[in-house]
Amino acid sequence: MNNEHLALHSTLEADGIRVSFGERIVIRSIYVKVSTGRVTGLVGRNGCGKSTLMRVIHGSLGVSEKSIRIDGCSVQHAYQHGVMFTPQHGFIPSSRSVRGVVRDHDLDFDRLAACFPIFGSHMRAPVSTLSGGERRLLETFMVLTSPHARFCLLDEPFSQISPLHIEVIMRLISEEKSRKGIMVADHMYRQILDICDDIYTITNGTTRPLRSPDKLNRPDSSDSPISPLEELRRLGYLP
């Protein structure tokens, strides 16, 4: 898979998903769409189903009821079709070195070191010696900049890292979205509002689209001015 192919416009859609754990229904009625050249946000309180939804879309959580489509074609295991995912918990083998991870995934080590200088002196270090935040940075960089990814699903990418590193990740997302479709799920809604082109809220197992951030403060003949925070309050996400 080459970069020219990845640059073509593609869409990833998910709906018809139902997930329950025992008597508790986690996801019941959702629709989300991720497109090349755009960043799609998913916001909701902790435990509302954001991670579960991403795992179902990726294919790492199997369920009997789902419809996942890439460019209109149904897929069962999206990870076999260029959909990469950063779960909340570490997924890179602890025994691998940073150099090994970069080599295994055809990453740009110079770019990694420029974005996160700490890795310049940790090239030979095993992943097991990295802090939780450093490991998170490496995993997020791997998925975001992989030349093999068509779509990137980032679950809580701003957790456990410093404000400075949050800025770097947001810059990477902006740089990579011209070649990929990116979905970001986080409870840190301010970062979501800043970086995303389209946003869905998830509450009680259902998703609702938030008006595009670039329209939230631009009234037209049918809309009165409204701030992003007011819109989230109206949808019940904020008190």
Side-chain angles (χ1 to χ4, degrees):
M1 188 178 298
N2 57 43
N3 288 336
E4 180 181 354
H5 175 72
L6 294 178
L8 298 176
H9 180 76
S10 291
T11 58
L12 169 65
E13 296 174 279
D15 59 17
I17 297 173
R18 184 179 177 86
V19 180
S20 60
F21 298 115
E23 297 296 320
R24 178 176 174 241
I25 298 175
V26 180
I27 298 175
R28 70 182 78 218
S29 177
I30 66 98
Y31 173 79
V32 293
K33 178 179 179 180
V34 186
S35 301
T36 306
R38 300 183 72 81
V39 180
T40 299
L42 184 64
V43 296
R45 296 184 177 90
N46 288 335
C48 70
K50 301 187 301 297
S51 299
T52 299
L53 176 57
M54 283 193 155
R55 290 171 60 202
V56 171
I57 294 173
H58 177 247
S60 49
L61 176 62
V63 296
S64 59
E65 296 182 47
K66 71 174 182 179
S67 176
I68 312 297
R69 302 176 300 281
I70 296 178
D71 298 332
C73 298
S74 178
V75 299
Q76 284 298 310
H77 305 292
Y79 58 79
Q80 297 177 340
H81 301 271
V83 177
M84 298 187 69
F85 172 48
T86 58
Q88 291 187 39
H89 304 292
F91 64 93
I92 296 177
S94 298
S95 60
R96 295 298 290 159
S97 68
V98 172
R99 181 198 289 272
V101 172
V102 170
R103 184 174 57 246
D104 292 346
H105 297 277
D106 299 319
L107 306 179
D108 184 338
F109 184 81
D110 290 338
R111 188 181 182 192
L112 173 63
C115 290
F116 308 111
I118 185 64
F119 292 112
S121 59
H122 282 57
M123 181 169 60
R124 299 181 185 277
V127 171
S128 61
T129 66
L130 302 178
S131 69
E134 290 166 350
R135 186 168 183 159
R136 191 67 174 160
L137 292 177
L138 180 60
E139 292 171 342
T140 301
F141 180 88
M142 186 195 87
V143 169
L144 265 179
T145 69
S146 170
H148 308 293
R150 296 173 68 184
F151 298 96
C152 304
L153 310 179
L154 309 179
D155 190 7
E156 303 278 355
F158 308 125
S159 299
Q160 302 181 40
I161 59 175
S162 70
L164 177 62
H165 288 151
I166 288 176
E167 292 181 8
V168 176
I169 289 175
M170 291 178 70
R171 186 177 73 242
L172 281 172
I173 290 172
S174 296
E175 292 171 355
E176 291 296 321
K177 78 172 187 178
S178 64
R179 296 179 287 274
K180 301 161 185 168
I182 299 172
M183 171 175 272
V184 183
D186 214 296
H187 63 280
M188 297 176 68
Y189 60 88
R190 293 186 184 277
Q191 283 77 16
I192 294 290
L193 292 174
D194 287 343
I195 199 68
C196 292
D197 303 292
D198 307 293
I199 300 175
Y200 297 89
T201 61
I202 181 167
T203 307
N204 297 324
T206 66
T207 56
R208 297 180 63 179
L210 188 69
R211 282 185 293 167
S212 296
D214 61 351
K215 296 179 181 178
L216 286 172
N217 289 310
R218 297 181 185 178
D220 57 25
S221 58
S222 60
D223 290 325
S224 59
I226 186 170
S227 73
L229 296 183
E230 289 172 340
E231 181 79 348
L232 287 174
R233 290 190 183 98
R234 184 181 68 81
L235 294 177
Y237 176 65
L238 296 177

